[in-house]
């Protein structure tokens, strides 16, 4: 008997034996039931397979009770828990030194729901003035309608941060490395200000990745990722992760909105329906395996590119925290573990027209407004991430029309340099 026939005869997987298929059933029925779970093996798959199953089946009501209550390991429904998503969450929690990590269908889902998990109507947020555009937009346009106010500060000015704290402040929100000028936040000092004020520190660590910085080590309470970027690293997944410090996890299982931050996060993710798909979680696991290799190489290439650009006559300024004359150099040395990341920006001296020509003449390097992939890409902050600001606001934020942001990839550095060298001739 072949494995398939045995499964047919009810000797295969338990769920097959429970509902073995009658050989005489009709084609419509066969189409639904044939071929179920034929694989039995004493060896294990070396790589976690994809559990593309929206639901899991039970032997009995009592088994459902046990699984539901967490007394027996098992899964019920993939929006609530899925092996691939769970595997990814465990991996990120381990990388991060977190008590628990929760995966979301995008970085924005992770950010907005994490904020909602820590806030109620009447609460207040102190946030960095320079933030990812959509994050800022939620704080400016959506949260006030829910009774949540936000004060924006220069996050590098600790006195300004302290002065913005109110009795109702629950969260300080910042990015480890800001976009597009690569300013590095003083996480330890910000955690201290937050905790003294009875608030939590939330850090969007997307640009740094856990290879360079683990904010929980510096006192952060919740670490946020657009996993779309470095964690995945191949520009083929949209996903987010929130990781909670060990002290903010646990509590009663299923306590939902009244539990720890991790419990609330889980509750909001599951019930607002922000769970990622098993396929995406699987791809992200695959990306994660090479995270350290990629980020180290990207950091090395970015450092070399920053030196090249700094010496180029058509470039008026380079923003990279690894440059010794960067105002963020010392802070970056402290927080980025001796590397400085794969992100840099530079100003073309001839302004918008020069930047336009550079972007148009780059050949290998594509103009793609995302970051963190294996291929080097460029973006134009003025036209993309900071498009919604007025010209005045952009100038105040230090974002000139000639500014180009580079997400440096893992190619051979000589090829990256050659492409920028030829493109800059047209600036
Ligand atoms: C891309 C990005 C986000 C948003 O993540 P999505 O996966 O696009 O939802 C948030 N923060 C930072 C710093 C980002 O770069």
């Amino acid at each position: 008997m072949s494995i398939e026939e045995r499964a047919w005869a009810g000797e295969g997987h338990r769920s097959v034996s429970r509902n073995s298929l009658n050989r005489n059933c009709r084609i419509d029925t066969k189409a639904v039931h044939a071929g179920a779970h034929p694989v039995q093996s004493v060896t294990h798959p070396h790589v976690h397979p994809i559990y593309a199953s929206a639901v899991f089946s039970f032997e009995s009501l009592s088994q459902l009770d046990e699984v539901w209550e967490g007394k027996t390991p098992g899964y019920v429904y993939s929006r609530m828990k899925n092996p691939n998503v769970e595997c990814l969450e465990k991996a990120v929690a381990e990388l991060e030194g977190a008590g628990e990590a929760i995966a979301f269908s995008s970085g924005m889902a992770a950010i907005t729901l994490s904020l909602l998990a820590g806030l109620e109507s009447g609460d207040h947020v102190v946030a960095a003035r320079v933030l990812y555009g959509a994050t800022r937009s939620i704080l400016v346009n959506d949260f006030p309608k829910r009774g949540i106010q936000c004060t924006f500060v220069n996050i590098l000015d600790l006195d300004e941060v302290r002065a913005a704290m109110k009795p109702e402040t629950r969260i300080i929100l910042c990015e480890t490395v800001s976009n597009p000028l690569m300013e590095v936040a003083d996480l330890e000092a910000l955690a201290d200000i937050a905790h003294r004020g009875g608030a939590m520190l939330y850090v969007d660590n997307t640009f740094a990745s856990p290879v360079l910085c683990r904010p929980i080590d510096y006192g952060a309470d919740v670490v946020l990722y657009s996993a779309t970027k470095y964690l995945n690293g191949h520009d083929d997944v949209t996903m987010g992760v929130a990781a909670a410090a060990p002290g903010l996890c646990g509590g009663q299982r299923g306590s939902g909105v009244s539990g720890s931050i991790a419990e609330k996060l889980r509750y909001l993710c599951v019930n607002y329906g922000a769970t990622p798909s098993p396929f995406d979680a699987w791809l992200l696991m695959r990306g994660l395996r090479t995270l350290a290799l990629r980020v180290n190489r990207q950091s090395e290439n970015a450092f070399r590119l920053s030196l090249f650009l700094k010496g180029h006559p058509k470039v008026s300024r380079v923003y990279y925290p690894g440059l010794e004359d960067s105002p963020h150099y010392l802070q970056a040395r402290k927080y980025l573990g001796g590397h400085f990341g794969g992100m840099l920006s530079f100003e073309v001296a001839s302004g918008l027209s020069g930047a336009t020509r550079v972007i148009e003449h780059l050949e290998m390097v594509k103009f793609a407004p995302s970051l963190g992939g294996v291929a080097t890409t460029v973006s134009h902050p003025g036209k993309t991430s900071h498009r919604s600001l007025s010209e005045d606001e952009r100038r105040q934020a230090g974002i000139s029309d000639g500014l180009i942001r580079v997400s440096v990839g893992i190619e051979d550095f000589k090829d990256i340099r050659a492409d920028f060298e030829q493109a800059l001739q047209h600036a």
Side-chain angles (χ1 to χ4, degrees):
M1 248 199 230
S2 72
I3 292 177
E4 214 171 346
E5 280 168 339
R6 252 181 273 143
W8 220 246
E11 291 173 23
H13 191 279
R14 282 187 84 190
S15 66
V16 175
S17 68
R18 188 171 188 271
N19 278 320
S20 62
L21 196 61
N22 180 337
R23 278 175 179 283
N24 300 322
C25 66
R26 313 287 192 284
I27 183 73
D28 314 52
T29 309
K30 279 187 177 166
V32 175
H33 294 281
H37 300 285
V39 181
Q40 267 208 320
S41 172
V42 293
T43 52
H44 299 287
H46 181 50
V47 172
H48 206 52
I50 302 176
Y51 287 80
S53 187
V55 68
F56 295 78
S57 58
F58 295 89
E59 299 289 332
S60 63
L61 268 179
S62 63
Q63 190 185 56
L64 173 120
D65 281 343
E66 287 187 3
V67 171
W68 199 282
E69 284 161 20
K71 291 176 188 156
T72 302
Y75 303 88
V76 178
Y77 186 62
S78 277
R79 175 164 52 71
M80 296 155 72
K81 194 158 107 170
N82 170 280
N84 295 105
V85 177
E86 191 178 36
C87 174
L88 167 71
E89 290 176 338
K90 291 212 162 109
V92 174
E94 243 173 82
L95 291 183
E96 211 59 48
E100 192 173 340
I102 292 128
F104 293 82
S105 52
S106 71
M108 284 320 299
I111 293 168
T112 50
L113 293 180
S114 296
L115 287 168
L116 286 178
L119 296 165
E120 283 175 21
S121 179
D123 288 345
H124 175 251
V125 180
V126 172
R129 197 167 288 132
V130 184
L131 272 184
Y132 185 72
T135 309
R136 190 184 156 89
S137 173
I138 289 287
L139 291 168
V140 171
N141 300 312
D142 184 71
F143 277 16
K145 290 190 215 157
R146 302 172 195 279
I148 298 162
Q149 302 302 324
C150 180
T151 305
F152 291 98
V153 296
N154 173 2
I155 205 75
L156 305 176
D157 183 341
L158 297 175
D159 288 331
E160 196 180 331
V161 177
R162 274 185 211 101
M165 296 293 288
K166 299 181 185 183
E168 329 58 279
T169 307
R170 293 283 163 268
I171 292 171
I172 297 181
L173 172 65
C174 73
E175 294 170 357
T176 313
V177 180
S178 75
N179 177 39
L181 302 183
M182 314 307 157
E183 298 160 339
V184 181
D186 188 346
L187 300 183
E188 216 160 36
L190 291 168
D192 186 55
I193 296 172
H195 296 157
R196 278 171 199 274
M200 293 181 284
L201 177 65
Y202 278 36
V203 179
D204 180 337
N205 197 41
T206 299
F207 275 37
S209 91
V211 173
L212 301 185
C213 181
R214 288 166 300 279
I216 289 172
D217 292 350
Y218 300 103
D221 298 288
V222 176
V223 184
L224 302 161
Y225 285 104
S226 168
T228 314
K229 317 293 168 54
Y230 284 102
L231 293 189
N232 179 56
H234 296 76
D235 291 315
D236 51 11
V237 169
T238 301
M239 201 186 286
V241 182
L248 298 172
C249 301
Q252 212 186 328
R253 214 187 115 82
S255 47
V257 284
S258 61
S260 64
I261 280 290
E263 280 285 329
K264 287 185 197 170
L265 267 171
R266 179 72 66 192
Y267 174 88
L268 293 183
C269 180
V270 167
N271 292 293
Y272 279 41
T275 321
S277 87
F279 290 107
D280 284 347
W282 187 89
L283 272 174
L284 204 74
M285 271 309 292
R286 185 184 172 129
L288 218 52
R289 297 295 179 223
T290 55
L291 178 66
L293 269 179
R294 285 185 280 110
V295 169
N296 288 331
R297 169 76 165 216
Q298 283 157 329
S299 295
E300 184 191 321
N301 279 346
F303 180 66
R304 295 173 77 181
L305 186 63
S306 75
L307 291 179
F308 164 75
L309 291 169
K310 197 160 179 277
H312 199 285
K314 295 199 171 165
V315 172
S316 49
R317 190 153 175 196
V318 179
Y319 299 88
Y320 187 64
L323 291 169
E324 276 183 40
D325 58 359
S326 158
H328 309 291
Y329 177 70
L330 290 178
Q331 201 108 290
R333 283 245 321 234
K334 172 170 176 180
Y335 288 112
L336 304 183
H339 289 282
F340 299 95
M343 299 298 299
L344 64 86
S345 293
F346 67 98
E347 248 163 38
V348 181
S350 47
L352 182 60
S353 63
T356 304
R357 283 191 295 273
V358 171
I359 288 170
E360 282 171 6
H361 282 90
L362 282 167
E363 287 166 3
M364 176 187 82
V365 175
K366 298 288 184 294
F367 173 29
S370 186
L371 62 111
V374 289
T376 303
T377 56
V378 293
S379 182
H380 186 275
K383 292 277 186 204
T384 60
S385 52
H386 294 70
R387 194 184 182 97
S388 63
L389 301 189
S390 69
E391 216 177 305
D392 234 29
E393 287 173 317
R394 271 202 296 276
R395 196 172 313 115
Q396 267 181 20
I399 295 157
S400 67
D401 290 341
L403 193 71
I404 294 176
R405 189 191 76 183
V406 191
S407 170
V408 184
I410 64 167
E411 302 95 335
D412 189 309
F413 175 68
K414 289 188 220 69
D415 295 319
I416 300 172
R417 184 184 58 200
D419 204 14
F420 279 96
E421 199 160 27
Q422 66 77 21
L424 275 163
Q425 282 175 4
H426 304 274

